[in-house]
């Protein structure tokens, strides 16, 4: 049987190229470092990250995976770009983070290998980089235990997100390297909600992440017009 991997090699190469700067809080990854405490506390408030088995899909250099392990969970980070995974492993060694491991495996392959084995699955800032986001959402749904939580974050596709998320962030403010995000790959909340429904996940909460260019800070808001997050849950018993 031939299996095609649901990944764009150009996207993976892009993240590998920058990998050595992943933990530099003033680098291209500054936005991820900035949003990390906000998303971490939001996740932890909904699904407490203590003694849980957690999977971080598209973990990159491990900014969120490492922080979730430091909350006391056992975290597996997966990605298909090898350099960011090496950086993540090195960081865990240097920072002496316990309970975090990394693996180069696709969400689809892990879902076939180890279904319903995680209490919490996170998939942040990743869906907009893959050819078939629905397949990732479905894999996350397979990987989480019944009653478990799946968290997503991505970027809306509309004129404002084009202006702020791409032109502003990549060109005007230089927060992200040019070409980080392609407009056509961005995902509307309604589209992500439809993917979740198709995967059998219930949407429980939606939050916006809003960037203030003056204070250079993000905060959690109800405004999902640019960056936003979904908290979803797999029902305890699926109703047939
Ligand atoms: N989730 C992390 C990193 C976001 S950057 C965070 O929010 O801090 C996007 C990551 O998605 C990169 O590490 C990239 O290599 C990864 N990625 C892109 N396509 C992927 C795929 N098909 N499978 C797994 N990871 C992928």
């Amino acid at each position: 049987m031939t299996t095609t991997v649901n990944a764009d090699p150009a996207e993976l190469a892009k993240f590998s190229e920058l990998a050595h700067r992943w933990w530099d809080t003033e680098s291209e990854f500054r936005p991820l470092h900035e949003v990390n405490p906000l998303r971490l506390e939001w996740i932890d408030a909904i699904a407490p990250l203590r003694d849980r088995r957690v999977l971080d899909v598209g973990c990159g250099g491990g900014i969120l995976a490492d922080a979730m392990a430091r909350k006391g969970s056992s975290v597996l980070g997966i990605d298909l770009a090898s350099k960011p995974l090496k950086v993540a492993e090195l960081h865990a060694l240097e920072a002496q983070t316990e309970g975090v491991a990394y693996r180069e495996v696709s969400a689809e392959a892990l879902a076939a290998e180890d279904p319903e084995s995680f209490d919490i699955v996170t998939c942040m800032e990743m869906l907009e980089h893959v050819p078939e986001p629905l397949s990732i959402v479905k894999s996350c749904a397979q990987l989480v235990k019944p009653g478990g939580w799946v968290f997503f974050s991505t970027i809306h596709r509309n004129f404002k997100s084009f202006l702020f998320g791409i032109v502003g962030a990549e060109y005007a403010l230089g927060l992200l390297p040019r070409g980080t995000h392609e407009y056509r790959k961005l995902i509307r909340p309604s589209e992500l909600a439809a993917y979740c429904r198709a995967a059998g996940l219930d949407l429980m909460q939606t939050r916006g992440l809003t960037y203030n260019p003056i204070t250079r800070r993000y905060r959690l808001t109800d405004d999902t017009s640019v960056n936003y997050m979904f908290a979803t849950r797999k029902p305890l018993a699926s109703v047939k």
Side-chain angles (χ1 to χ4, degrees), residues 22 32 39 56-65 76-80 84-85 88 101-103 122 124 126:
W22 212 290
L32 292 182
R39 62 191 185 179
D56 188 23
V57 177
C59 62
I63 295 172
L64 180 63
L76 174 66
I78 63 169
D79 204 288
L80 288 176
L85 286 174
Y102 296 98
R103 226 184 114 183
T122 55
M124 315 303 264
M126 182 267 195

Side-chain angles (χ1 to χ4, degrees), residues 7-17 81 129 131 179-180 182 185:
D8 178 345
E11 290 278 7
L12 302 178
K14 207 158 69 182
F15 288 104
S16 270
E17 209 172 290
H129 299 288
T180 299
E182 276 175 65
K185 287 192 185 162

Side-chain angles (χ1 to χ4, degrees), residues 160 207-210 220-228:
K160 187 175 168 193
R207 295 297 269 151
L209 276 163
T210 308
L220 284 189
T221 62
D222 291 330
D223 176 4
T224 58
S225 60
V226 185
N227 293 87
Y228 67 94

